[in-house]
Amino acid sequence: MKVAVLDINGKDTGRKADLSKDVFAIEPNNHAVYLDVKQYLANQRQGTHKSKERAEISGSTRKIKKQKGTGTARAGSIKSGVFKGGGRMFGPRPRNYSFKLNKNVKRLARKSALSIKAGEQSIFVIEDFDFDTVRTKNFTAILKALNIENKKSLFVLGGSNNNVYLSSRNLKSSEVITSSELNTYKILNANQIVLLEGALEGIELNLSK
């Protein structure tokens, strides 16, 4: 699968990048994608929610009325959830939302997500670049050159690059990650995927195991 390599000015360099069919052109497995995204979002949850139950409410333990003869439902504690100011019935408790997902399923999900984006022609490959200093203006110039300044974009680098990362950090619609940080949710959440040439080998190595 051949894709033109662009420079940071959005011009064709005349070179072609060979994207592996085993990574960028498979039949997407929607259920694997669903599971991987579900796990990612579940892992973002703190799970610290808590409401007070009847045992944790301060109040009298006196039986508030006699058992029989009132013509109404029997009632014991004023802390019961049926009364105003009482405890919450079946309220949330702290819990861990994370769950296990097999590595092969996660790998299949990422390949499926990349194949979906490739099928939508939402993947650019550009030559490796670096900034001398941290400047958001430099990164914005690249977005404009690629005509994606108004789209949600994901830049995938071959390795850590502090100047590029810090130059993009102030932009809400753009995110910069390395090939080892690539996940299904971030792939699908972006409108445009921008792969640097140096990231291709790492992506294919991680996903072709």
Side-chain angles (χ1 to χ4, degrees):
M1 183 176 175
K2 300 288 186 179
V3 177
V5 178
L6 308 178
D7 61 18
I8 59 174
N9 297 314
K11 306 295 183 183
D12 193 341
T13 61
R15 292 183 286 113
K16 298 282 187 180
D18 191 13
L19 302 183
S20 172
K21 291 183 179 180
D22 295 331
V23 175
F24 293 92
I26 69 167
E27 181 68 29
N29 188 310
N30 293 329
H31 189 61
V33 171
Y34 159 74
L35 289 175
D36 200 15
V37 171
K38 181 181 178 182
Q39 186 197 46
Y40 176 85
L41 293 176
N43 289 341
Q44 308 307 303
R45 301 186 68 172
Q46 291 184 345
T48 54
H49 40 43
K50 177 71 173 74
S51 65
K52 287 188 177 182
E53 300 179 1
R54 61 184 293 169
E56 300 165 314
I57 295 292
S58 62
S60 173
T61 57
R62 178 181 66 87
K63 184 170 174 65
I64 60 176
K65 63 180 180 180
K66 63 182 184 178
Q67 179 78 348
K68 293 180 176 292
T70 62
T72 56
R74 56 194 174 184
S77 173
I78 194 69
K79 296 186 287 185
S80 171
V82 300
F83 297 119
K84 180 180 178 182
R88 173 88 179 267
M89 292 187 287
F90 306 111
R93 294 179 175 180
R95 57 164 290 193
N96 181 10
Y97 283 92
S98 64
F99 61 92
K100 182 182 181 297
L101 197 60
N102 291 337
K103 287 183 179 179
N104 286 338
V105 175
K106 293 171 71 69
R107 197 175 292 125
L108 174 61
R110 277 176 285 171
K111 291 193 288 187
S112 297
L114 287 171
S115 298
I116 290 171
K117 289 298 181 182
E120 296 172 351
Q121 297 183 341
S122 298
I123 294 181
F124 286 156
V125 177
I126 66 173
E127 60 185 6
D128 293 325
F129 66 90
D130 192 7
F131 296 147
D132 296 330
T133 58
V134 177
R135 289 200 70 188
T136 304
K137 188 175 182 180
N138 292 342
F139 194 85
T140 305
I142 295 177
L143 295 178
K144 289 182 178 178
L146 297 173
N147 198 28
I148 56 173
E149 69 271 22
N150 295 322
K151 295 181 179 180
K152 195 181 292 184
S153 58
L154 178 68
F155 281 70
V156 185
L157 311 182
S160 179
N161 188 319
N162 208 41
N163 284 350
V164 175
Y165 168 71
L166 293 176
S167 296
S168 69
R169 192 169 60 172
N170 202 34
L171 300 173
K172 290 184 178 181
S173 61
S174 292
E175 185 176 5
V176 173
I177 61 173
T178 62
S179 58
S180 61
E181 298 170 332
L182 194 64
N183 64 59
T184 306
Y185 177 82
K186 290 185 177 180
I187 294 170
L188 296 176
N189 190 45
N191 300 123
Q192 195 73 42
I193 311 293
V194 182
L195 305 178
L196 272 65
E197 279 188 289
L200 295 177
E201 183 179 356
I203 292 172
E204 294 178 0
L205 185 64
N206 290 336
L207 298 183
S208 60
K209 293 178 182 178

